[in-house]
Amino acid sequence: MAELADLDDPKARAVNERHGDDHGVNLGSLRALAKRLKTQQELARQLWETGETAARLLAILICRPKAFERDELDAMLREARAPKVHDWLVNYVVKKNPHAEELRLAWSADPDPVVASAGWALTTERVAKKPAGLDLAGLLDVIDAEMKDAPDRLQWAMNHCLAQIGITHAEHRARAIDIGERLEVLKDYPTSPGCTSPFAPIWINEIVRRQQETPARQV
């Protein structure tokens, strides 16, 4: 904790706080510290229990993802209100845990929109990598009905799922683009030069275009 405190930079903290993350540790420095510590599950649990955002990010980097029980991960997610902690916990830990599918189903139906956003993030992972058994048309129905008025973080997660369906499943692409065009979610989101807009129709068309160009270049 003393080392994390030494790494805290007021300028980095000011930038992070604009995104809702209350810490000032450079993520590169955090990853370097994690690389030195290597995997330490008990230390990870102790760091998590401090409640400090930087300590929890470090905990995620040095933990053993498959070692957590279902209820433990559920409690951790509900405590993880800082966006970066929430995002890393889902992507670096929950996705690699054997309880991921059970948690996906439970979280997707949760009344807390931040918890529900984690369920949608796990659904997006399945859409891309393990779509068998998913009702993609049903997911599009829900997105069509609920995404427009969803709270920010839930809306962002649903929009990612919409784009992923359109990108990876050609049979649903036209409908996914149509939903995006009608709802106009994130249509005016500021996008840096060289980055792809999160507006689903642009996102879908751009990634599909790149995928179609890559085989041509290889030939």
Side-chain angles (χ1 to χ4, degrees):
M1 294 303 294
E3 191 163 351
L4 286 173
D6 288 342
L7 290 171
D8 195 277
D9 177 2
K11 291 183 180 178
R13 179 175 288 274
V15 172
N16 290 334
E17 285 180 346
R18 288 203 293 271
H19 301 285
D21 291 310
D22 55 342
H23 76 95
V25 180
N26 176 277
L27 296 182
S29 299
L30 199 68
R31 291 181 187 279
L33 178 55
K35 187 175 181 180
R36 196 182 82 223
L37 291 170
K38 300 180 181 178
T39 302
Q40 296 191 49
Q41 181 68 8
E42 187 52 41
L43 176 58
R45 283 195 166 100
Q46 292 172 356
L47 287 167
W48 184 272
E49 288 302 318
T50 68
E52 295 288 334
T53 295
R56 286 185 164 180
L57 291 172
L58 181 59
I60 290 167
L61 293 175
I62 67 169
C63 76
R64 190 174 293 108
K66 295 180 180 179
F68 293 102
E69 296 298 326
R70 179 211 180 279
D71 290 348
E72 190 175 12
L73 287 175
D74 183 68
M76 290 169 71
L77 184 87
R78 293 175 192 279
E79 295 172 1
R81 307 314 287 186
K84 184 67 72 177
V85 175
H86 179 277
D87 181 54
W88 279 21
L89 181 64
V90 172
N91 286 290
Y92 296 169
V93 181
V94 180
K95 285 181 180 180
K96 300 175 183 177
N97 185 274
H99 301 290
E101 179 61 13
E102 186 182 351
L103 289 168
R104 181 186 77 84
L105 294 170
W107 289 343
S108 294
D110 199 277
D112 183 329
V114 177
V115 175
S117 72
W120 278 94
L122 294 173
T123 298
T124 302
E125 175 86 350
R126 272 206 59 188
V127 166
K129 297 182 178 179
K130 296 180 181 178
L134 283 180
D135 178 6
L136 297 178
L139 287 173
L140 290 175
D141 288 342
V142 175
I143 292 169
D144 198 356
E146 300 179 11
M147 182 173 73
K148 181 76 171 179
D149 299 317
D152 287 350
R153 283 166 69 179
L154 177 55
Q155 184 184 72
W156 188 274
M158 294 176 83
N159 183 70
H160 190 179
C161 189
L162 173 66
Q164 195 64 59
I165 292 172
I167 291 165
T168 53
H169 300 279
E171 68 275 21
H172 295 286
R173 187 169 297 149
R175 187 182 175 204
I177 291 173
D178 176 67
I179 290 171
E181 289 175 341
R182 281 190 292 102
L183 300 186
E184 297 187 337
V185 168
L186 300 175
K187 184 176 182 178
D188 299 320
Y189 190 84
T191 306
S192 301
C195 296
T196 303
S197 169
F199 179 48
I202 294 176
W203 190 352
I204 293 167
N205 286 322
E206 175 61 19
I207 300 303
V208 170
R209 181 189 66 78
R210 291 181 196 173
Q211 291 173 343
Q212 291 172 342
E213 281 185 356
T214 300
R217 282 200 295 267
Q218 289 176 343
V219 171

